[in-house]
Amino acid sequence: MTNTAQKKTVTLTDNSTGKSYEFPVIQGTVGPDVVDIRNLYADTGLFTFDPGFTSTGSCESKITFIDGDEGVLLYRGYPIEELAEHSDFTEVAYLLLNGELPTAKERSDFDYSMTHHNMLHEQLAYFYRGFRRDAHPMAVMCGVVGALSAFYHDSLDINDPHQRMVASHRLVAKMPTVAAWAYKYSLGQPFIYPRNEMRYAENFLHMMFATPCEPYKVSPILAKAMDRILILHADHEQNASTSTVRLAGSSGANPFACIAAGIASLWGPAHGGANEAVLNMLKAIGSTDRIPEFIRRAKDKNDSFKLMGFGHRVYKNYDPRAKIMERTCHEVLDELGMKSNSLLAIAMELERIALSDDYFIEKKLYPNVDFYSGIIFNAMGIPSSMFTALFALARTVGWISQWNEMMKEETQKIGRPRQLYTGAVKRPFKPLHQRE
Ligand code: SDX
């Protein structure tokens, strides 16, 4: 634990015993202070109870800061708006992994590493063939990324900082290849190898859309848009999938297995799967005159339908990534000559209506990072089944940066929450003949 200033204490009084207990309050550099309750159970015999962790800080971190009320997102202190405008994904990946923006030499070395770790072991190509062609790309990503631990034995020692760095670089460098090959496999097209003369996002789009039959030129505008989208998705504090990676890593599991666990968690429609769900929702709405029907359903407690791409556990203001995503959406559609994109028209009208509706205003539900991304990917010709795979591609550097931060913690312990038990108390076994 960093020697952060200890500002004050809070007192817990147990009215049933009249006993009071003091707990230290720890102040970070910015954001809410935390009550250090590590001794709560030992001192009081009580657990905290916080399903969904709405009020729980699971760790100390220096990587990403979010202010949900102000709509602020910082990667290592740099505002997401400035990184999206002035940086590129490879530089942001270096920043997240190392804590500082690279010097020219550091950038050159990192570029070399990313370029020379982006191929997959040739036998992994056969691994894809075990899947049905219509397997969801996230199922393929879970399987292939977990399988990387069966190939890269020289970067599995989690106690060796060098091996942790090699595994981290391998994961960030290989993810575009893993994702693009999942798409190619679904098409029945041959895998396209990464090109060493191409930059990260351009290489990914080339592996997605090139064929061995003719040269394929990636649009610089689309490569820049994809690069910016990757930056926006790179990390996001202790979200569900990052917490999954940390918990998996706390047991000493290898980094490839931990990232596979993160991919599995991201897949859910309440999390990274929302971008695919947004596009399916916009297609189901079909036209702006049907929007009121879906708004009504989203507000109906008896209807499980939620407005996908809206709401956030932390942001109670506009998700700063969604603003940048909307601007990028217009740029891409202009570049592709798709100004009259019907899905965008529905999305913008849906946003306008929702943001003027008391239900969404009172519950502070704003568009999140997933609301516009699917429209961009769809316009680029990427199928909706690949949207969450792109999210996983981008988030891998955030996951592995958080994993590295945890592995370097001297006080790192296995994560083992407790529970509120409301099941049956101890009772004797009942033989079959005694059960009616
Ligand atoms: C991501 O954590 C992260 O940082 C995630 C992420 C990242 O970068 O890693 O930002 C990426 O996952 C973005 C979120 C993508 N998911 C969606 O767009 C799915 C739709 N959104 C909801 O499922 C929901 O808003 C969550 C899951 C995002 C947040 O859920 P919370 O914080 O648990 O809030 P909640 O479900 O308790 O909702 C509070 C209230 C509820 O109503 P009440 O029970 O209080 O009456 O708001 C309602 C909810 O019913 N509500 C919605 C809604 N989201 C919340 N009602 C309609 N439509 C919605 N989208």
Side-chain angles (χ1 to χ4, degrees), residues 127-148:
F127 198 91
Y128 283 79
R129 287 173 174 74
F131 290 96
R132 286 173 39 152
R133 293 280 179 177
D134 61 353
H136 194 289
M138 287 298 277
V140 176
M141 295 274 286
C142 285
V144 172
V145 172
L148 293 176

PDB file of all heavy atoms in Angstrom, residues 127-148:
ATOM      1  N   PHE A 127      -5.931 -24.692 -34.121  1.00  0.00           N
ATOM      2  CA  PHE A 127      -6.841 -24.627 -32.966  1.00  0.00           C
ATOM      3  C   PHE A 127      -8.192 -24.070 -33.395  1.00  0.00           C
ATOM      4  O   PHE A 127      -9.252 -24.554 -32.992  1.00  0.00           O
ATOM      5  CB  PHE A 127      -6.222 -23.727 -31.897  1.00  0.00           C
ATOM      6  CG  PHE A 127      -6.812 -23.887 -30.531  1.00  0.00           C
ATOM      7  CD1 PHE A 127      -6.271 -24.790 -29.626  1.00  0.00           C
ATOM      8  CD2 PHE A 127      -7.921 -23.153 -30.143  1.00  0.00           C
ATOM      9  CE1 PHE A 127      -6.815 -24.943 -28.371  1.00  0.00           C
ATOM     10  CE2 PHE A 127      -8.475 -23.304 -28.883  1.00  0.00           C
ATOM     11  CZ  PHE A 127      -7.919 -24.199 -27.996  1.00  0.00           C
ATOM     12  N   TYR A 128      -8.161 -23.078 -34.315  1.00  0.00           N
ATOM     13  CA  TYR A 128      -9.428 -22.481 -34.788  1.00  0.00           C
ATOM     14  C   TYR A 128     -10.307 -23.552 -35.426  1.00  0.00           C
ATOM     15  O   TYR A 128     -11.519 -23.517 -35.329  1.00  0.00           O
ATOM     16  CB  TYR A 128      -9.136 -21.379 -35.808  1.00  0.00           C
ATOM     17  CG  TYR A 128      -8.648 -20.083 -35.201  1.00  0.00           C
ATOM     18  CD1 TYR A 128      -7.330 -19.926 -34.790  1.00  0.00           C
ATOM     19  CD2 TYR A 128      -9.521 -19.005 -35.011  1.00  0.00           C
ATOM     20  CE1 TYR A 128      -6.890 -18.740 -34.229  1.00  0.00           C
ATOM     21  CE2 TYR A 128      -9.082 -17.816 -34.456  1.00  0.00           C
ATOM     22  CZ  TYR A 128      -7.769 -17.687 -34.073  1.00  0.00           C
ATOM     23  OH  TYR A 128      -7.340 -16.511 -33.510  1.00  0.00           O
ATOM     24  N   ARG A 129      -9.661 -24.509 -36.103  1.00  0.00           N
ATOM     25  CA  ARG A 129     -10.438 -25.478 -36.880  1.00  0.00           C
ATOM     26  C   ARG A 129     -11.276 -26.403 -36.016  1.00  0.00           C
ATOM     27  O   ARG A 129     -12.125 -27.137 -36.509  1.00  0.00           O
ATOM     28  CB  ARG A 129      -9.476 -26.286 -37.779  1.00  0.00           C
ATOM     29  CG  ARG A 129      -8.956 -25.438 -38.936  1.00  0.00           C
ATOM     30  CD  ARG A 129      -7.867 -26.116 -39.771  1.00  0.00           C
ATOM     31  NE  ARG A 129      -7.529 -25.284 -40.934  1.00  0.00           N
ATOM     32  CZ  ARG A 129      -6.820 -24.160 -40.853  1.00  0.00           C
ATOM     33  NH1 ARG A 129      -6.415 -23.725 -39.665  1.00  0.00           N
ATOM     34  NH2 ARG A 129      -6.539 -23.447 -41.943  1.00  0.00           N
ATOM     35  N   GLY A 130     -11.051 -26.347 -34.691  1.00  0.00           N
ATOM     36  CA  GLY A 130     -11.906 -27.153 -33.810  1.00  0.00           C
ATOM     37  C   GLY A 130     -13.268 -26.523 -33.595  1.00  0.00           C
ATOM     38  O   GLY A 130     -14.199 -27.158 -33.109  1.00  0.00           O
ATOM     39  N   PHE A 131     -13.405 -25.243 -33.971  1.00  0.00           N
ATOM     40  CA  PHE A 131     -14.686 -24.546 -33.767  1.00  0.00           C
ATOM     41  C   PHE A 131     -15.585 -24.681 -34.992  1.00  0.00           C
ATOM     42  O   PHE A 131     -15.103 -24.815 -36.109  1.00  0.00           O
ATOM     43  CB  PHE A 131     -14.445 -23.049 -33.511  1.00  0.00           C
ATOM     44  CG  PHE A 131     -13.807 -22.747 -32.181  1.00  0.00           C
ATOM     45  CD1 PHE A 131     -12.432 -22.569 -32.085  1.00  0.00           C
ATOM     46  CD2 PHE A 131     -14.575 -22.666 -31.029  1.00  0.00           C
ATOM     47  CE1 PHE A 131     -11.835 -22.289 -30.864  1.00  0.00           C
ATOM     48  CE2 PHE A 131     -13.981 -22.389 -29.802  1.00  0.00           C
ATOM     49  CZ  PHE A 131     -12.617 -22.200 -29.721  1.00  0.00           C
ATOM     50  N   ARG A 132     -16.895 -24.591 -34.768  1.00  0.00           N
ATOM     51  CA  ARG A 132     -17.809 -24.479 -35.912  1.00  0.00           C
ATOM     52  C   ARG A 132     -17.561 -23.124 -36.554  1.00  0.00           C
ATOM     53  O   ARG A 132     -17.149 -22.169 -35.902  1.00  0.00           O
ATOM     54  CB  ARG A 132     -19.259 -24.559 -35.403  1.00  0.00           C
ATOM     55  CG  ARG A 132     -19.700 -25.935 -35.001  1.00  0.00           C
ATOM     56  CD  ARG A 132     -21.066 -25.942 -34.353  1.00  0.00           C
ATOM     57  NE  ARG A 132     -22.021 -25.011 -34.962  1.00  0.00           N
ATOM     58  CZ  ARG A 132     -23.347 -25.229 -34.935  1.00  0.00           C
ATOM     59  NH1 ARG A 132     -23.830 -26.322 -34.386  1.00  0.00           N
ATOM     60  NH2 ARG A 132     -24.173 -24.359 -35.450  1.00  0.00           N
ATOM     61  N   ARG A 133     -17.839 -23.028 -37.839  1.00  0.00           N
ATOM     62  CA  ARG A 133     -17.614 -21.740 -38.527  1.00  0.00           C
ATOM     63  C   ARG A 133     -18.518 -20.647 -37.948  1.00  0.00           C
ATOM     64  O   ARG A 133     -18.175 -19.472 -37.974  1.00  0.00           O
ATOM     65  CB  ARG A 133     -17.879 -21.897 -40.026  1.00  0.00           C
ATOM     66  CG  ARG A 133     -16.886 -22.806 -40.723  1.00  0.00           C
ATOM     67  CD  ARG A 133     -15.578 -22.113 -41.051  1.00  0.00           C
ATOM     68  NE  ARG A 133     -14.644 -23.040 -41.710  1.00  0.00           N
ATOM     69  CZ  ARG A 133     -13.426 -22.673 -42.154  1.00  0.00           C
ATOM     70  NH1 ARG A 133     -13.028 -21.423 -42.026  1.00  0.00           N
ATOM     71  NH2 ARG A 133     -12.616 -23.550 -42.711  1.00  0.00           N
ATOM     72  N   ASP A 134     -19.687 -21.073 -37.407  1.00  0.00           N
ATOM     73  CA  ASP A 134     -20.628 -20.053 -36.878  1.00  0.00           C
ATOM     74  C   ASP A 134     -20.458 -19.861 -35.373  1.00  0.00           C
ATOM     75  O   ASP A 134     -21.341 -19.302 -34.722  1.00  0.00           O
ATOM     76  CB  ASP A 134     -22.072 -20.460 -37.201  1.00  0.00           C
ATOM     77  CG  ASP A 134     -22.458 -21.800 -36.564  1.00  0.00           C
ATOM     78  OD1 ASP A 134     -21.545 -22.468 -35.987  1.00  0.00           O
ATOM     79  OD2 ASP A 134     -23.632 -22.172 -36.649  1.00  0.00           O
ATOM     80  N   ALA A 135     -19.323 -20.310 -34.825  1.00  0.00           N
ATOM     81  CA  ALA A 135     -19.060 -20.056 -33.396  1.00  0.00           C
ATOM     82  C   ALA A 135     -18.976 -18.553 -33.161  1.00  0.00           C
ATOM     83  O   ALA A 135     -18.469 -17.811 -34.009  1.00  0.00           O
ATOM     84  CB  ALA A 135     -17.741 -20.716 -32.991  1.00  0.00           C
ATOM     85  N   HIS A 136     -19.478 -18.090 -32.016  1.00  0.00           N
ATOM     86  CA  HIS A 136     -19.382 -16.649 -31.728  1.00  0.00           C
ATOM     87  C   HIS A 136     -17.891 -16.295 -31.554  1.00  0.00           C
ATOM     88  O   HIS A 136     -17.172 -17.003 -30.851  1.00  0.00           O
ATOM     89  CB  HIS A 136     -20.169 -16.297 -30.467  1.00  0.00           C
ATOM     90  CG  HIS A 136     -20.389 -14.830 -30.288  1.00  0.00           C
ATOM     91  ND1 HIS A 136     -19.373 -13.961 -29.962  1.00  0.00           N
ATOM     92  CD2 HIS A 136     -21.489 -14.069 -30.443  1.00  0.00           C
ATOM     93  CE1 HIS A 136     -19.838 -12.739 -29.893  1.00  0.00           C
ATOM     94  NE2 HIS A 136     -21.130 -12.761 -30.185  1.00  0.00           N
ATOM     95  N   PRO A 137     -17.442 -15.221 -32.159  1.00  0.00           N
ATOM     96  CA  PRO A 137     -16.028 -14.856 -32.053  1.00  0.00           C
ATOM     97  C   PRO A 137     -15.524 -14.756 -30.615  1.00  0.00           C
ATOM     98  O   PRO A 137     -14.372 -15.039 -30.325  1.00  0.00           O
ATOM     99  CB  PRO A 137     -15.952 -13.505 -32.753  1.00  0.00           C
ATOM    100  CG  PRO A 137     -17.074 -13.540 -33.739  1.00  0.00           C
ATOM    101  CD  PRO A 137     -18.168 -14.328 -33.073  1.00  0.00           C
ATOM    102  N   MET A 138     -16.421 -14.412 -29.670  1.00  0.00           N
ATOM    103  CA  MET A 138     -15.971 -14.333 -28.272  1.00  0.00           C
ATOM    104  C   MET A 138     -15.710 -15.733 -27.708  1.00  0.00           C
ATOM    105  O   MET A 138     -14.812 -15.906 -26.878  1.00  0.00           O
ATOM    106  CB  MET A 138     -16.997 -13.586 -27.414  1.00  0.00           C
ATOM    107  CG  MET A 138     -17.009 -12.106 -27.675  1.00  0.00           C
ATOM    108  SD  MET A 138     -15.432 -11.330 -27.263  1.00  0.00           S
ATOM    109  CE  MET A 138     -15.659 -11.099 -25.496  1.00  0.00           C
ATOM    110  N   ALA A 139     -16.427 -16.730 -28.200  1.00  0.00           N
ATOM    111  CA  ALA A 139     -16.142 -18.105 -27.776  1.00  0.00           C
ATOM    112  C   ALA A 139     -14.758 -18.505 -28.285  1.00  0.00           C
ATOM    113  O   ALA A 139     -13.957 -19.121 -27.571  1.00  0.00           O
ATOM    114  CB  ALA A 139     -17.215 -19.047 -28.313  1.00  0.00           C
ATOM    115  N   VAL A 140     -14.466 -18.101 -29.525  1.00  0.00           N
ATOM    116  CA  VAL A 140     -13.157 -18.410 -30.116  1.00  0.00           C
ATOM    117  C   VAL A 140     -12.055 -17.669 -29.359  1.00  0.00           C
ATOM    118  O   VAL A 140     -11.019 -18.233 -29.007  1.00  0.00           O
ATOM    119  CB  VAL A 140     -13.147 -18.024 -31.611  1.00  0.00           C
ATOM    120  CG1 VAL A 140     -11.770 -18.252 -32.221  1.00  0.00           C
ATOM    121  CG2 VAL A 140     -14.214 -18.798 -32.376  1.00  0.00           C
ATOM    122  N   MET A 141     -12.321 -16.396 -29.037  1.00  0.00           N
ATOM    123  CA  MET A 141     -11.302 -15.589 -28.323  1.00  0.00           C
ATOM    124  C   MET A 141     -10.996 -16.207 -26.961  1.00  0.00           C
ATOM    125  O   MET A 141      -9.842 -16.324 -26.568  1.00  0.00           O
ATOM    126  CB  MET A 141     -11.814 -14.159 -28.133  1.00  0.00           C
ATOM    127  CG  MET A 141     -12.024 -13.366 -29.397  1.00  0.00           C
ATOM    128  SD  MET A 141     -10.585 -12.535 -30.021  1.00  0.00           S
ATOM    129  CE  MET A 141     -10.392 -11.186 -28.890  1.00  0.00           C
ATOM    130  N   CYS A 142     -12.067 -16.608 -26.242  1.00  0.00           N
ATOM    131  CA  CYS A 142     -11.847 -17.235 -24.925  1.00  0.00           C
ATOM    132  C   CYS A 142     -10.940 -18.446 -25.080  1.00  0.00           C
ATOM    133  O   CYS A 142      -9.959 -18.613 -24.345  1.00  0.00           O
ATOM    134  CB  CYS A 142     -13.172 -17.699 -24.325  1.00  0.00           C
ATOM    135  SG  CYS A 142     -14.216 -16.432 -23.669  1.00  0.00           S
ATOM    136  N   GLY A 143     -11.258 -19.294 -26.064  1.00  0.00           N
ATOM    137  CA  GLY A 143     -10.512 -20.539 -26.246  1.00  0.00           C
ATOM    138  C   GLY A 143      -9.089 -20.315 -26.697  1.00  0.00           C
ATOM    139  O   GLY A 143      -8.138 -20.856 -26.116  1.00  0.00           O
ATOM    140  N   VAL A 144      -8.915 -19.470 -27.704  1.00  0.00           N
ATOM    141  CA  VAL A 144      -7.575 -19.279 -28.276  1.00  0.00           C
ATOM    142  C   VAL A 144      -6.656 -18.561 -27.283  1.00  0.00           C
ATOM    143  O   VAL A 144      -5.508 -18.942 -27.091  1.00  0.00           O
ATOM    144  CB  VAL A 144      -7.657 -18.516 -29.613  1.00  0.00           C
ATOM    145  CG1 VAL A 144      -6.264 -18.134 -30.112  1.00  0.00           C
ATOM    146  CG2 VAL A 144      -8.382 -19.345 -30.662  1.00  0.00           C
ATOM    147  N   VAL A 145      -7.186 -17.530 -26.608  1.00  0.00           N
ATOM    148  CA  VAL A 145      -6.331 -16.775 -25.665  1.00  0.00           C
ATOM    149  C   VAL A 145      -5.938 -17.653 -24.481  1.00  0.00           C
ATOM    150  O   VAL A 145      -4.791 -17.670 -24.048  1.00  0.00           O
ATOM    151  CB  VAL A 145      -7.022 -15.480 -25.205  1.00  0.00           C
ATOM    152  CG1 VAL A 145      -6.232 -14.795 -24.089  1.00  0.00           C
ATOM    153  CG2 VAL A 145      -7.185 -14.528 -26.385  1.00  0.00           C
ATOM    154  N   GLY A 146      -6.882 -18.454 -23.987  1.00  0.00           N
ATOM    155  CA  GLY A 146      -6.530 -19.384 -22.909  1.00  0.00           C
ATOM    156  C   GLY A 146      -5.478 -20.381 -23.371  1.00  0.00           C
ATOM    157  O   GLY A 146      -4.566 -20.746 -22.629  1.00  0.00           O
ATOM    158  N   ALA A 147      -5.558 -20.761 -24.665  1.00  0.00           N
ATOM    159  CA  ALA A 147      -4.624 -21.751 -25.207  1.00  0.00           C
ATOM    160  C   ALA A 147      -3.220 -21.177 -25.387  1.00  0.00           C
ATOM    161  O   ALA A 147      -2.238 -21.934 -25.473  1.00  0.00           O
ATOM    162  CB  ALA A 147      -5.143 -22.272 -26.545  1.00  0.00           C
ATOM    163  N   LEU A 148      -3.085 -19.852 -25.427  1.00  0.00           N
ATOM    164  CA  LEU A 148      -1.750 -19.259 -25.589  1.00  0.00           C
ATOM    165  C   LEU A 148      -0.817 -19.755 -24.482  1.00  0.00           C
ATOM    166  O   LEU A 148       0.395 -19.901 -24.683  1.00  0.00           O
ATOM    167  CB  LEU A 148      -1.827 -17.732 -25.566  1.00  0.00           C
ATOM    168  CG  LEU A 148      -2.544 -17.051 -26.737  1.00  0.00           C
ATOM    169  CD1 LEU A 148      -2.631 -15.541 -26.514  1.00  0.00           C
ATOM    170  CD2 LEU A 148      -1.850 -17.345 -28.062  1.00  0.00           C
TER     171      LEU A 148
END
